[in-house]
Amino acid sequence: MNKLSFRFTFKHAIESQRELIHQWLKQDYISEWIHGQGLQNTLSGLEKFFQYQIENKNLDRQSEITPHWIGYDGDKPFVYFQISLKFLLIQKKVTQKPRMFIRKRAFVL
């Protein structure tokens, strides 16, 4: 049997990646878009997400926690992003609001 391999993979950010994420967010081309209260909200949300993981809580549709992700090119992390899922139960729609921060300008199109 052939095992499929994928170039890009995505995993939840983990606490040991805190400093990496902070470094990415400090880059000039990212900090021009996220700074001040927006940056503080992102960092606060990241800490809540880490705490949720430590407490072994599951994320679900009712969760108030925004998942934080790291994307990998092979085994190298290259992107940090969040996807907030807002479930509009009355209209039975799902809307997604992604926020993505690319580690290296070379990956920005």
Side-chain angles (χ1 to χ4, degrees):
M1 242 191 273
N2 290 340
K3 186 176 179 180
L4 292 176
S5 64
F6 298 96
R7 176 177 173 179
F8 299 109
T9 56
F10 304 91
K11 299 176 186 175
H12 280 147
I14 56 174
E15 192 173 14
S16 64
Q17 294 171 315
R18 177 186 286 113
E19 187 57 35
L20 175 68
I21 294 167
H22 285 222
Q23 288 173 2
W24 288 356
L25 293 173
K26 289 178 186 176
Q27 295 177 103
D28 290 341
Y29 70 97
I30 294 174
S31 65
E32 71 180 89
W33 296 101
I34 184 165
H35 50 83
Q37 191 60 52
L39 176 60
Q40 291 308 310
N41 291 344
T42 296
L43 296 176
S44 175
L46 181 63
E47 292 306 314
K48 288 178 186 175
F49 181 67
F50 290 152
Q51 188 61 40
Y52 223 68
Q53 290 176 328
I54 289 168
E55 295 171 3
N56 288 320
K57 293 183 179 178
N58 292 323
L59 294 172
D60 60 27
R61 294 177 179 170
Q62 309 308 317
S63 177
E64 296 292 323
I65 301 296
T66 298
H68 294 252
W69 296 83
I70 300 289
Y72 297 84
D73 182 355
D75 63 349
K76 294 182 182 182
F78 78 97
V79 66
Y80 160 70
F81 63 97
Q82 312 160 29
I83 297 179
S84 299
L85 295 177
K86 292 188 176 185
F87 289 85
L88 305 174
L89 299 176
I90 296 172
Q91 297 176 1
K92 296 185 180 178
K93 289 184 183 178
V94 177
T95 61
Q96 296 183 346
K97 291 185 168 186
R99 296 177 72 187
M100 186 178 299
F101 305 103
I102 306 292
R103 174 179 170 239
K104 289 187 175 182
R105 193 174 273 276
F107 284 103
V108 179
L109 301 176

